[in-house]
Amino acid sequence: MNDLIHSHQQGAVLTLSINRPDKLNALTNAMYNRLADLLYAADEDPAITAVIITGGEHCFTSGNDLRDFLESPPTHLNSPAFRFMDAVIQLDKPLIAAVCGAAIGIGTTLLLHCDQVLVTHHAKLRMPFVNLGLCPEFGASLLLPRLLGHARAARLLLWGDGLDGTQAVDLGLANKAFEDGEQCLAAAQKMAQRLLTLPRESVLHTKRLLKQPLLEALKDTLRRENLLFMERLKSVEAKVVLEGMLQRSAEKG
């Protein structure tokens, strides 16, 4: 699994790269567990000050691997995808996302928990949970309306509308958009390196303070979303849509 999730530490900066380009960086249970383990370890490691998460220069992630998801769906609150969410929420180190290309489903909801989000202009962000017969995850039902207001959040969550990188910056979902993936990744590294020049304990305390006001509400929302998500996966609506998608994918070869 190490070949699908690359972990590279340069100085006090840890970069986690999703590396499954042939499947548009779709995430399996094993990949979620690997990411969670690395984030939990990073949080405990005094040699790490900042974490970057990326999918490389062309794609962030297309979300869950459909076949893996249907064959081994989450069945409890400590399932791999939920462990990954917990690891992100618990992380005290600043987290920077470099988003180049598609960021679908959890690829977008993850960004709500990052301290800085850098995108390419051609990045495609979308949360098609309702379209799949499911419901929002990763605290999106709490965080997105607070960030964008109800009406804009509803367009993204109820209607499943998408955004490009430029629109994401305009709405405040991302900090800055770049022409290509190389520039985006370089900017993320530069931003992380800048943190190393600042007093480390002050950085950590400030991140905790930024998270604290919403932390309990976020954990409660996450639990309710995840319970409903597991329930929705068993619904006829979701099974028809997801199994149909899997069949069409198989027919295409």
Side-chain angles (χ1 to χ4, degrees):
M1 191 48 54
N2 292 2
D3 59 329
L4 299 183
I5 302 293
H6 286 177
S7 174
H8 173 68
Q9 186 173 345
Q10 182 178 0
V13 177
L14 176 69
T15 300
L16 303 180
S17 300
I18 306 167
N19 183 47
R20 200 185 180 204
D22 58 316
K23 298 294 184 180
L24 298 177
N25 288 343
L27 294 161
T28 64
N29 284 315
M31 293 166 73
Y32 277 126
N33 271 330
R34 174 70 175 156
L35 283 166
D37 290 343
L38 289 166
L39 287 170
Y40 284 133
D43 209 30
E44 296 296 325
D45 188 347
I48 294 173
T49 297
V51 179
I52 297 171
I53 187 163
T54 182
E57 293 186 15
H58 305 291
C59 179
F60 190 55
T61 174
S62 57
N64 290 304
D65 180 281
L66 195 55
R67 183 175 296 280
D68 185 74
F69 194 53
L70 291 177
E71 291 178 352
S72 303
T75 56
H76 52 82
L77 292 175
N78 200 38
S79 293
F82 301 155
R83 280 190 73 234
F84 169 64
M85 294 177 191
D86 179 73
V88 171
I89 289 170
Q90 297 297 337
L91 185 68
D92 279 337
K93 313 293 174 70
L95 180 61
I96 300 167
V99 181
C100 313
I104 309 301
I106 198 168
T108 294
T109 56
L110 165 62
L111 307 182
L112 301 173
H113 304 273
C114 295
D115 300 290
Q116 294 288 289
V117 177
L118 306 179
V119 297
T120 53
H121 289 295
H122 66 271
K124 299 298 181 185
L125 285 66
R126 190 168 177 235
M127 296 169 284
F129 304 115
V130 169
N131 311 66
L132 301 176
L134 301 171
C135 69
E137 37 87 318
F138 220 159
S141 62
L142 172 70
L143 299 177
L144 208 59
R146 291 182 67 92
L147 179 64
L148 304 181
H150 176 85
R152 284 175 172 168
R155 286 294 297 270
L156 300 180
L157 291 176
L158 275 174
W159 278 264
D161 285 4
L163 303 167
D164 63 26
T166 303
Q167 291 170 319
V169 172
D170 290 341
L171 285 178
L173 282 170
N175 298 90
K176 189 172 181 179
F178 297 85
E179 287 299 324
D180 57 44
E182 183 179 358
Q183 291 178 9
C184 185
L185 292 173
Q189 288 289 343
K190 184 176 180 180
M191 186 167 285
Q193 291 294 328
R194 190 174 154 201
L195 282 170
L196 308 189
T197 67
L198 302 173
R200 183 178 181 277
E201 290 299 316
S202 182
V203 168
L204 298 179
H205 285 303
T206 300
K207 163 115 187 205
R208 292 187 193 111
L209 288 169
L210 283 167
K211 292 196 307 181
Q212 193 59 45
L214 279 181
L215 189 56
E216 291 309 312
L218 179 57
K219 289 179 179 178
D220 180 63
T221 300
L222 202 63
R223 181 178 183 277
R224 287 186 286 108
E225 285 179 346
N226 290 347
L227 288 171
L228 182 57
F229 197 93
M230 289 187 286
E231 183 181 318
R232 292 300 306 158
L233 273 173
K234 300 174 186 176
S235 70
V236 173
E237 285 182 336
K239 286 181 178 179
V240 168
V241 175
L242 294 171
E243 289 174 5
M245 290 175 62
L246 189 60
Q247 169 113 19
R248 289 190 293 274
S249 178
E251 289 171 352
K252 289 179 182 178

